[in-house]
Amino acid sequence: MTVDLLAFHRMITACRATRKLVVENPVQSDYSGDHEAAEAWPLVTAAYNGIEQALKMLLQASAAPTPTLEELRVQYGHDLEKLYGALDPDDQTHIELHFGEHWSLYEHELLDLGFSTAKEFIAQLNDSDPQVGSIAWRYALLDMSVQIPKTNPWTMCEVWYAICCRIKKRAFADTDDCFRLSVRLDFKLGDILPSVDPYDGFTNDLNQWAIHKDRSLLAAWVELLVKANREAIDEVQAPDRLRPELAAMAATAFGQLADDSAGPDEKHLIVRARQRDRDLAWDPQVAQFRWTPSSLPNWQR
């Protein structure tokens, strides 16, 4: 048995539709945790079920001999942790890379949530304790005896999407990385660069600047956005004649990443670039966002 193309199309369509729902229906903070839980319930339960089915599809795409859906149901039930543990190590590494980029952008590692990897996040979702994991969410509208745990629907969607990307590679020999967060931001920011013209030395210089920092377009863009926010374009490592154009490009980027059509990742990149007490950076060596204490004096923060 192989992964059916139509089945994969249904899976990725459902994942994208759920991501859209999460973006368009953000859970609002409320004094009542129960109210927040009720708002989040349709999003969380959809993403939870999607993660489960995607893990089973990935096992079908990578295991030999290919297990049937009934065999997967009997062997794993609804145990997300057990399903994730059965994945090939290369598949886990791929999912962890997706997760790590997302986790670092939102600085979740600073919240001390008790988990910082996709494996730990899935284990937390899977926890059978009625106060912690999936059981509490599954019966959240009915069982008033439990305290509904908080989770993050957007992080759940990113994990689901990462699994779908791996299915695409396994089942259909797709060689791309299915647009990890850093690649999606690269494309968004790269569109702001002038078109490459081999006869235009100025444009070539701009494009050379864009890949100067660790050969990473995203690293250069993050540096530019931070410097532009500090009104310190003169500190950007670029020839003087390029700096006015870089300043204009940064202004365009701020506008495009913050407008109504931008997604939560793009908007949060702007939020972090505008922080005054720290300098945001993209480290392509570990594929994560990092920050260092700001070089601004206290009175300028």
Side-chain angles (χ1 to χ4, degrees), residues 21-286:
L21 285 172
V22 173
V23 170
E24 294 175 350
N25 301 276
V27 178
Q28 303 297 325
S29 297
D30 192 272
Y31 288 113
S32 169
D34 283 341
H35 181 76
E36 284 189 43
E39 276 197 297
W41 185 83
L43 308 174
V44 171
T45 52
Y48 182 93
N49 196 272
I51 289 171
E52 177 188 337
Q53 294 193 50
L55 286 170
K56 289 176 177 175
M57 183 176 282
L58 180 52
L59 285 175
Q60 286 186 322
S62 55
T66 303
T68 66
L69 181 55
E70 185 58 32
E71 288 171 338
L72 291 171
R73 285 170 176 160
V74 170
Q75 185 172 359
Y76 298 105
H78 304 294
D79 193 325
L80 300 188
E81 192 172 7
K82 193 174 179 181
L83 283 164
Y84 188 82
L87 296 181
D88 184 279
D90 286 345
D91 294 335
Q92 291 189 15
T93 297
H94 174 90
I95 295 166
E96 292 292 352
L97 187 59
H98 268 254
F99 183 88
E101 293 186 2
H102 168 92
W103 204 244
S104 66
L105 175 63
Y106 288 91
E107 296 187 290
H108 288 321
E109 70 272 14
L110 302 181
L111 302 180
D112 193 24
L113 298 174
F115 47 87
S116 58
T117 66
K119 180 179 180 179
E120 293 169 344
F121 182 69
I122 287 174
Q124 184 267 351
L125 289 176
N126 189 72
D127 198 311
S128 60
D129 187 307
Q131 302 290 347
V132 179
S134 62
I135 299 299
W137 276 105
R138 196 170 293 170
Y139 295 100
L141 306 183
L142 177 65
D143 190 347
M144 300 302 295
S145 68
V146 300
Q147 177 68 39
I148 308 304
K150 288 188 177 181
T151 188
N152 189 313
W154 190 238
T155 299
M156 295 177 73
C157 285
E158 187 66 28
V159 171
W160 184 4
Y161 181 70
I163 301 168
C164 288
C165 291
R166 196 60 179 176
I167 295 168
K168 185 179 179 184
K169 180 176 178 61
R170 283 286 191 183
F172 310 111
D174 197 296
T175 57
D176 67 27
D177 57 10
C178 201
F179 306 136
R180 298 194 324 262
L181 170 61
S182 59
V183 179
R184 301 194 302 265
L185 291 171
D186 262 346
F187 275 120
K188 183 74 174 182
L189 292 165
D191 286 343
I192 300 169
L193 283 170
S195 299
V196 176
D197 183 339
Y199 303 105
D200 185 346
F202 185 80
T203 301
N204 282 343
D205 287 347
L206 278 172
N207 281 276
Q208 285 300 312
W209 167 82
I211 60 172
H212 85 279
K213 191 174 179 61
D214 298 321
R215 304 296 294 178
S216 168
L217 175 63
L218 183 57
W221 265 110
V222 169
E223 178 186 35
L224 176 62
L225 293 173
V226 170
K227 297 297 186 184
N229 182 59
R230 302 285 170 79
E231 297 182 353
I233 291 293
D234 59 310
E235 296 179 6
V236 174
Q237 296 178 10
D240 289 344
R241 67 192 184 91
L242 296 183
R243 287 176 183 156
E245 183 69 21
L246 290 174
M249 289 163 56
T252 300
F254 273 119
Q256 289 191 9
L257 297 180
D259 69 16
D260 291 341
S261 64
D265 297 329
E266 297 156 354
K267 290 181 178 179
H268 197 72
L269 176 65
I270 291 299
V271 169
R272 290 203 58 191
R274 284 175 167 161
Q275 288 176 303
R276 306 293 286 178
D277 62 338
R278 61 191 66 179
D279 290 333
L280 176 66
W282 166 253
D283 186 344
Q285 304 306 314
V286 296

